[in-house]
Amino acid sequence: MERNLHRQLANMKKSLFDQGYLDEQFIQLEELQDAANPNFVEEVVTMYYRDSARLIQNIDHALEKNPLDFAKLDNYMHQFKGSSCSIGAKKLKNECTQFKEYCETGNGEGCKRTFQQVKKEYAALKKKLEHYFQFARQVGPVEKACRPK
Amino acid sequence: MSVPSSSLSRKSGDGVSDQFPAGLRVLVVDDDPICLLILEKMLKKCLYEVTKCNRAELALNYLRENKNGYDIVISDVHMPDMDGFKLLEHVGLEMDLPVIMMSADDGKKVVMKGITHGAVDYLIKPVRIEALKNIWQHVVRKNKDEYKGKDCEQTGSVEDGEQQQKPPEDAEYSSSANEGNWKNSKKRKDEEDEAEERDDTSSLKKPRVVWSVELHQQFVTAVNHLGLDKAVPKKILELMNVPGLTRENVASHLQYRLYLRRLSGVSQHQNGLNNAFMGPTDATFGSMSSFNGIELQALASSGQLPPQSLAIIQAAALGRATNKSPVPVPLVDQRNLFSFESPKLRFGEDSLLNNNSKQINLLHGIPTNMEPKQLATLHQSAQSLGNLNMQLQSQSSQSGSLLTQRPQSQPRTPLLNEINGSHVSTLPSSLGQPIMSQALPSSVLPRNGIENVRGGTFGSVSQPSSALDFSVNHGTEFPGNSFPLMSNSGIPILTSKGMLQEEVKSEMKVPRGYLPNYDTFDELNQNRTQDWGVQTDGSTFDVSQHSNLQGSLDVSPSILVQQGFSSNLKSEQSRNIPVSKATFAVGDSRAGNISNPSQQLNSSPADISQRIKAERLPNMGFQNTFFPEQFGQDDLMSALLKQQQEGTGAVESEFGFDGYHLDNLPV
């Protein structure tokens, strides 16, 4: 039974990777987990979602302004991107990069469009990770970091 | 990792040496709490001692409070309260710790910026633990190089070199009556300086690179060669080809120069002098180099640059060098910075220091470094310098006055040049002061004040402005010290120089009584990381203080001057006189220093010019640390020389003042 759970968890993780939600960085975080910090990854991700919510709001407000302050947008997005890639959120990172490119070219429409994507991915990942961590807690704290096959 | 723990233990504090790199003390700065947390965890996994900080200001506080409490700093590029590059600069200048930049931004421009600002590495986020596992290499590298550099510096440093050179030089030039005095004092100074320096340098805690005059010269040369735009630390380092010197050293030095240039540029509008040193970014740089020869010549020909101005220029240059006041650079840094220019500046250093403007540097260098003999010459030049200062202040044609002054002092043209550049203002002060004996008002002229003094004292020097300008423009390293003094007034300058030096010292902890201490100056430089500029504020030229200086200077100044000059001239080629510390030992009859062609402030323009032409200004071991590159002393000197003679060859800029061989002074 446990093995099943473990396997299930492993599969979950694998699918997250396969679908491009997560990347290598996530593994790096998991490798930092140890007996002293068994839920390190979860803690970090939780902190991320708490912190980045503020950034999302700022960007939303900035996008409503007219004319758009691309420098500011770029700045916000830079911060958001930094955090996102730190937890290994791959798809999210790519959307952020796209957003920044639009900022550089001054493409307001492109920015707004991309940001919608960003928010979508952001929400999707959050759900998936929540699910994952919930499951991981069930399975047991000794979930070793393992690369998806 | 097999690193010699013993050497490392010192720097990493206690305890951890054996398990190095475990226990490496890392300071992480990032405004993103997520990244900060992750980094902390990763670094802890590498067994490092981590301190995290989410604000740059806070990080600087930590670093300042606990100077040796950290081995390496990792900082994000984009931070709300302070730009990561700014923090990088500060850390490099103040603490000289290796700094790693990191960012999610992997654009080439940003990465390049990190490198040119002196970061030892640039990590792209997300940072992997593997990247962090190796950061200890930067610590080892830096310490190793610094230590080695320091050693090299020490051996070749002014202090050492000078000391070693002193005896032979003394013997050679012991013709002036004052020489003995100077020599003695100089020796004393040297020893003191050395001792002090040793304390600084021999400590392995954080070995700093001593930017001796020679080293600085090389730096200047490299930068000039590359051109301002292209003078990036790596290339400069390659061109310099100094064993043991790290890119970080060069980068910080460059930054410092940039900083100084910014300061000087603001104050003096000199484009020439400091430009060169200000760093590639500064436009002045370019102007400076160009200025050197051309301007000098122009100035010279226009006769605008009376010897005095030359002195002033030098002073200015010196001052410029010391313009660091705003930057809380440790003395060491200053020393470093100025070492190149300082030889010359030493004299004016004292005075220059006061002036935050670079000018002071020049001045300081002059008097301080000059040996008694030189002082004599300096006296004369000082007077002229005094004028110069005045002129410098106005930054008008520098060459005129300075050059004219040269006749007497010959040697210091380069100084003047330098001074002109940045220290125009300082010159006056410095000159004024030492020369006080002659006519200098006793008030020590703070850099800014120097001008006043100069005006007063150097009544004769009427062209300070021009002279100063000259130096200012040059940005060449003008061993301001030697020059101003040497110029015209010869003795006056000497005195002033000596005084300046003393003055400077006092401020900078220089033993005052010792006048032409190039050594002192070195010491100053070394010991004082403070901005030279700061020091010159008023206190440097305590003319009264330097009574002894003056006294000594007074001794047949003319003779001294001449001798000093001649000796300088002779040594002209001795650019490479280890400029460290007191190359300019005025009394030292170190002909070498001043002999640099550019430096030759020789009183007689003709003589000087000739000499200068022939000789390259010896590295003004004068105050190696003293003159910030701003002035391209060499350029300045050469420029000055040119003025004098119409075409003085660009001097190596080492205003090796210390070699005022009075004997050589053309009487």
Side-chain angles (χ1 to χ4, degrees):
Chain A
M1 188 54 190
E2 258 201 29
R3 230 161 3 107
N4 271 348
L5 283 178
H6 275 271
R7 204 153 5 123
Q8 270 184 5
L9 191 66
N11 285 341
M12 270 179 94
K13 189 155 72 170
K14 184 171 185 303
S15 86
L16 282 173
F17 275 89
D18 290 343
Q19 290 172 45
Y21 283 103
L22 296 175
D23 61 17
E24 181 67 30
Q25 183 64 13
F26 194 80
I27 305 290
Q28 292 260 322
L29 293 187
E30 285 194 324
E31 279 174 357
L32 292 175
Q33 277 187 162
D34 50 21
N37 292 83
N39 299 315
F40 178 71
V41 188
E42 190 179 351
E43 283 165 22
V44 171
V45 170
T46 308
M47 193 193 272
Y48 163 76
Y49 273 102
R50 197 176 56 221
D51 242 41
S52 51
R54 185 179 37 90
L55 275 172
I56 298 271
Q57 255 186 0
N58 289 344
I59 298 178
D60 258 334
H61 288 154
L63 279 174
E64 283 165 12
K65 295 229 164 74
N66 200 2
L68 289 177
D69 184 350
F70 288 109
K72 208 174 195 182
L73 283 170
D74 189 75
N75 202 17
Y76 284 141
M77 186 45 81
H78 181 83
Q79 295 177 50
F80 182 72
K81 184 181 170 190
S83 300
S84 304
C85 63
S86 289
I87 65 158
K90 187 170 169 183
K91 268 193 189 174
L92 209 44
K93 183 171 85 173
N94 293 340
E95 295 292 340
C96 290
T97 307
Q98 182 69 67
F99 184 92
K100 284 188 85 180
E101 280 174 17
Y102 282 133
C103 278
E104 274 172 35
T105 56
N107 187 342
E109 275 313 305
C111 285
K112 290 181 182 163
R113 227 183 16 240
T114 309
F115 194 61
Q116 295 311 310
Q117 278 298 108
V118 166
K119 284 195 282 190
K120 250 175 55 179
E121 292 295 336
Y122 179 79
L125 181 65
K126 185 172 185 187
K127 257 170 73 180
K128 292 214 182 259
L129 284 175
E130 272 174 3
H131 187 65
Y132 175 79
F133 287 127
Q134 231 173 20
F135 200 76
R137 259 183 270 122
Q138 277 177 16
V139 172
V142 202
E143 179 64 25
K144 286 246 143 207
C146 55
R147 278 166 172 64
K149 291 168 247 178
Chain B
M1 314 173 232
S2 50
V3 273
S5 48
S6 54
S7 57
L8 291 170
S9 55
R10 227 171 326 180
K11 61 171 178 33
S12 44
D14 34 281
V16 288
S17 53
D18 294 337
Q19 305 137 15
F20 187 85
L24 193 73
R25 296 158 308 166
V26 185
L27 176 67
V28 173
V29 190
D30 193 338
D31 64 317
D32 184 348
I34 314 293
C35 292
L36 211 55
L37 188 67
I38 295 174
L39 278 169
E40 187 195 19
K41 195 81 178 69
M42 284 181 171
L43 289 165
K44 282 199 170 144
K45 195 126 202 237
C46 298
L47 302 179
Y48 296 154
E49 255 182 52
V50 187
T51 308
K52 60 178 197 240
C53 186
N54 66 351
R55 279 183 43 242
E57 284 294 344
L58 202 58
L60 274 177
N61 284 346
Y62 286 165
L63 290 165
R64 283 174 187 149
E65 280 166 19
N66 195 355
K67 283 267 162 132
N68 292 319
Y70 304 96
D71 296 312
I72 189 164
V73 178
I74 302 181
S75 168
D76 188 35
V77 167
H78 292 89
M79 289 191 286
D81 64 331
M82 187 195 288
D83 185 33
F85 296 117
K86 203 121 184 278
L87 176 66
L88 166 61
E89 268 183 41
H90 277 296
V91 175
L93 284 173
E94 296 178 37
M95 294 106 204
D96 199 26
L97 284 174
V99 180
I100 294 178
M101 300 304 291
M102 60 176 177
S103 177
D105 191 350
D106 61 351
K108 198 177 100 166
K109 261 196 327 188
V110 186
V111 178
M112 179 64 87
K113 198 171 174 192
I115 297 172
T116 55
H117 277 67
V120 299
D121 206 349
Y122 191 104
L123 304 175
I124 309 289
K125 285 185 183 174
V127 178
R128 299 167 60 88
I129 195 169
E130 287 83 19
L132 295 176
K133 282 211 175 113
N134 280 330
I135 62 173
W136 60 267
Q137 64 176 293
H138 303 296
V139 178
V140 175
R141 192 179 298 123
K142 198 167 187 78
N143 284 337
K144 170 177 78 75
D145 288 345
E146 278 192 355
Y147 186 57
K148 248 205 317 175
K150 222 192 258 235
D151 277 350
C152 295
E153 289 285 359
Q154 276 189 345
T155 46
S157 71
V158 175
E159 341 163 326
D160 289 349
E162 283 181 355
Q163 305 244 348
Q164 290 156 13
Q165 286 198 356
K166 234 166 21 125
E169 284 177 5
D170 287 346
E172 223 182 304
Y173 300 107
S174 50
S175 45
S176 126
N178 290 341
E179 196 178 351
N181 297 342
W182 291 123
K183 264 197 293 189
N184 293 339
S185 43
K186 181 157 192 311
K187 277 189 183 135
R188 237 187 307 115
K189 218 43 151 14
D190 287 346
E191 285 159 11
E192 291 170 13
D193 292 348
E194 205 174 23
E196 288 184 38
E197 231 197 0
R198 286 275 156 73
D199 292 343
D200 278 348
T201 56
S202 44
S203 149
L204 290 180
K205 268 266 178 114
K206 223 158 36 141
R208 299 194 67 100
V209 167
V210 176
W211 282 89
S212 67
V213 171
E214 291 160 32
L215 201 60
H216 181 72
Q217 257 334 116
Q218 286 177 278
F219 177 87
V220 175
T221 312
V223 176
N224 285 337
H225 181 74
L226 290 167
L228 268 176
D229 294 333
K230 304 217 178 51
V232 287
K234 185 155 172 23
K235 293 221 176 99
I236 297 173
L237 183 69
E238 284 165 7
L239 277 182
M240 283 175 72
N241 196 23
V242 171
L245 191 68
T246 66
R247 191 181 51 71
E248 289 80 32
N249 300 139
V250 175
S252 341
H253 197 59
L254 188 64
Q255 285 307 308
Y256 183 80
R257 296 271 177 238
L258 285 169
Y259 174 80
L260 289 174
R261 198 152 56 117
R262 256 180 276 134
L263 293 174
S264 67
V266 170
S267 55
Q268 299 166 4
H269 315 287
Q270 305 141 351
N271 1 326
L273 283 180
N274 300 323
N275 294 343
F277 285 101
M278 286 316 246
T281 55
D282 284 348
T284 49
F285 193 6
S287 51
M288 179 168 63
S289 4
S290 54
F291 179 87
N292 302 332
I294 298 171
E295 291 170 14
L296 269 178
Q297 271 192 326
L299 285 173
S301 44
S302 63
Q304 294 178 336
L305 188 64
Q308 295 150 356
S309 19
L310 195 60
I312 297 179
I313 294 174
Q314 289 187 348
L318 285 172
R320 221 174 321 182
T322 58
N323 220 355
K324 279 180 25 163
S325 35
V327 175
V329 177
L331 195 55
V332 175
D333 277 345
Q334 284 209 339
R335 183 176 34 161
N336 293 346
L337 283 178
F338 296 108
S339 51
F340 291 118
E341 307 185 340
S342 52
K344 308 188 246 200
L345 287 178
R346 274 286 196 88
F347 262 70
E349 233 184 35
D350 293 325
S351 51
L352 289 175
L353 283 184
N354 290 327
N355 298 335
N356 289 319
S357 54
K358 309 203 242 147
Q359 298 182 346
I360 300 190
N361 287 339
L362 283 177
L363 218 42
H364 287 299
I366 304 177
T368 47
N369 293 339
M370 301 212 338
E371 301 206 356
K373 290 197 287 195
Q374 295 176 348
L375 276 180
T377 46
L378 283 182
H379 261 288
Q380 300 165 16
S381 39
Q383 283 182 347
S384 49
L385 280 179
N387 296 340
L388 282 177
N389 289 334
M390 298 194 290
Q391 297 173 3
L392 280 178
Q393 309 270 328
S394 45
Q395 301 192 352
S396 45
S397 56
Q398 324 154 334
S399 46
S401 51
L402 282 177
L403 290 179
T404 39
Q405 289 199 345
R406 295 268 227 101
Q408 303 177 8
S409 46
Q410 330 186 320
R412 298 280 183 190
T413 6
L415 277 179
L416 285 178
N417 293 338
E418 286 189 345
I419 301 185
N420 288 339
S422 48
H423 307 288
V424 169
S425 54
T426 49
L427 250 173
S429 51
S430 51
L431 286 178
Q433 318 231 328
I435 304 196
M436 303 236 309
S437 54
Q438 314 216 336
L440 286 175
S442 49
S443 54
V444 178
L445 294 174
R447 293 231 213 209
N448 305 311
I450 295 185
E451 303 177 310
N452 314 328
V453 175
R454 299 258 174 210
T457 49
F458 293 110
S460 53
V461 182
S462 44
Q463 312 147 21
S465 48
S466 52
L468 288 174
D469 285 339
F470 192 71
S471 52
V472 173
N473 300 330
H474 278 305
T476 49
E477 301 216 44
F478 193 69
N481 313 336
S482 46
F483 261 66
L485 292 180
M486 304 292 275
S487 51
N488 303 339
S489 43
I491 308 234
I493 296 181
L494 277 176
T495 8
S496 46
K497 290 238 186 118
M499 307 252 326
L500 289 174
Q501 231 189 1
E502 292 195 337
E503 290 294 350
V504 175
K505 290 249 171 110
S506 50
E507 291 200 321
M508 312 211 279
K509 301 196 259 188
V510 173
R512 280 296 194 124
Y514 193 37
L515 187 151
N517 290 326
Y518 294 99
D519 290 336
T520 348
F521 207 70
D522 276 353
E523 184 188 0
L524 273 179
N525 294 331
Q526 291 144 10
N527 299 327
R528 289 201 231 206
T529 41
Q530 338 165 356
D531 311 323
W532 285 99
V534 174
Q535 302 197 354
T536 49
D537 282 306
S539 56
T540 49
F541 295 111
D542 234 324
V543 178
S544 49
Q545 292 184 14
H546 302 296
S547 47
N548 46 345
L549 277 180
Q550 295 190 345
S552 43
L553 285 180
D554 287 341
V555 175
S556 44
S558 51
I559 297 176
L560 283 177
V561 173
Q562 316 241 322
Q563 298 189 329
F565 287 123
S566 42
S567 24
N568 289 336
L569 292 179
K570 281 203 279 206
S571 43
E572 51 207 64
Q573 322 275 337
S574 45
R575 282 271 316 256
N576 302 308
I577 291 185
V579 185
S580 48
K581 288 223 252 168
T583 22
F584 282 89
V586 172
D588 247 77
S589 63
R590 246 190 296 206
N593 295 341
I594 312 220
S595 44
N596 275 340
S598 50
Q599 303 176 349
Q600 310 282 350
L601 267 197
N602 299 323
S603 42
S604 46
D607 292 345
I608 296 178
S609 47
Q610 288 163 12
R611 287 210 202 204
I612 295 175
K613 270 208 220 158
E615 310 162 343
R616 298 294 306 201
L617 281 174
N619 288 332
M620 306 239 320
F622 209 27
Q623 295 148 346
N624 306 336
T625 50
F626 199 25
F627 296 134
E629 307 205 280
Q630 313 182 351
F631 342 136
Q633 292 178 347
D634 286 337
D635 291 345
L636 190 52
M637 302 229 311
S638 38
L640 282 175
L641 288 175
K642 278 192 192 159
Q643 277 196 357
Q644 294 233 335
Q645 338 167 339
E646 75 240 358
T648 318
V651 215
E652 306 282 2
S653 65
E654 291 271 327
F655 203 158
F657 222 61
D658 58 52
Y660 267 101
H661 300 295
L662 292 179
D663 302 320
N664 303 337
L665 288 178
V667 179

